[in-house]
């Protein structure tokens, strides 16, 4: 436990990672500020010192994870011509399911104020599914230009299908349901390998 008055390095990430562990292990109903700080091994008031409340914390956690995946998707174009197209797309699509993605999505859905904050941030330009979809489209266009994706493949449609399926799986998965990654990988393979 960090003593009072001592700075906690990388406090946001430490709290986010702790929240993911709590929700993945115990479900969305178990998430409280005390559960997060206990899991993080830090002072009980630390979460409220950095966030206006649990709803803001949940929204920021979701937005942070979207931004991470969008950044990973943004790197796709640089992979054109390397590895396999399916493996490169899998890395981005499956990143949405890392760090307790389904559990965190479920958590956001149970907190209307957090959901509203997330929607407002996305409408304001925060990176999310749209940025991921645009990155996948650009990557597939580059791969099609290299002849590694058939001309018959429409990059916009494939990107929409990948992102839409990931969104569906995130919203319908929760602790105890089947792992969403295998169907995601099968979809990617079917779309790009035909």
């Amino acid at each position: 436990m960090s003593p009072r008055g001592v700075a906690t390095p990388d406090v946001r990430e430490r709290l986010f990672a702790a929240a993911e562990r709590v929700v993945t292990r115990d479900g969305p109903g178990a998430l409280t500020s005390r559960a997060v700080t206990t899991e993080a091994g830090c002072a009980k008031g630390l979460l409220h010192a950095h966030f206006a409340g649990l709803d803001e914390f949940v929204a920021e956690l979701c937005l942070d994870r979207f931004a991470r995946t969008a950044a990973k998707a943004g790197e796709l174009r640089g992979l054109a011509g390397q590895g396999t197209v399916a493996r490169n797309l899998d890395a981005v699509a499956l990143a949405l399911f890392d760090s307790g993605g389904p559990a965190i999505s479920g958590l956001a859905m149970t907190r209307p104020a957090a959901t509203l904050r997330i929607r407002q941030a996305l409408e304001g330009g925060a990176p999310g599914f749209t940025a991921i979809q645009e990155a996948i489209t650009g990557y597939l266009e580059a791969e099609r230009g290299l002849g590694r994706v058939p001309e018959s493949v429409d990059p916009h449609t494939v990107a929409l299908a990948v992102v839409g399926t990931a969104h569906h799986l995130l919203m319908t998965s929760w602790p105890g349901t089947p792992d969403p990654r295998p169907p995601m990988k099968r979809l990617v393979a079917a779309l790009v390998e035909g």
Side-chain angles (χ1 to χ4, degrees), residues 77-95:
R77 193 180 285 261
L79 297 176
Q82 301 175 39
T84 68
V85 175
R87 188 171 297 132
N88 292 340
L89 283 180
D90 280 345
V92 171
L94 298 180

Side-chain angles (χ1 to χ4, degrees), residues 12-75:
R12 284 175 55 94
E13 182 52 36
R14 186 171 176 181
L15 292 171
F16 289 165
E20 289 171 336
R21 290 190 302 273
V22 168
V23 173
T24 300
R25 181 183 62 234
D26 303 322
L31 192 76
T32 62
S33 57
R34 183 171 296 273
V36 172
T37 55
T38 298
E39 181 73 25
C42 57
K44 300 298 177 224
L46 190 64
L47 186 142
H48 292 285
H50 291 272
F51 300 93
L54 197 56
D55 287 325
E56 181 181 308
F57 173 76
V58 168
E60 290 298 318
L61 168 58
C62 290
L63 291 166
D64 179 80
R65 294 329 192 217
F66 279 153
R68 281 183 179 201
T69 305
K72 186 175 191 107
E75 297 170 0

Side-chain angles (χ1 to χ4, degrees), residues 140-183:
L140 289 171
E141 288 170 343
E143 290 286 23
R144 193 170 63 179
L146 295 172
R148 290 174 22 109
V149 170
E151 283 295 321
S152 61
V153 170
D154 176 13
H156 296 282
T157 302
V158 171
L160 177 61
V162 169
V163 170
T165 301
H167 185 262
H168 167 73
L169 290 171
L170 282 168
M171 296 297 120
T172 59
S173 298
W174 48 84
T177 59
D179 185 354
R181 288 174 271 245

Side-chain angles (χ1 to χ4, degrees), residues 58 62 103-112 114-115 118:
V58 168
C62 290
I104 298 302
S105 295
L107 173 64
M109 289 182 356
T110 65
R111 304 192 68 86
T115 301
I118 293 166

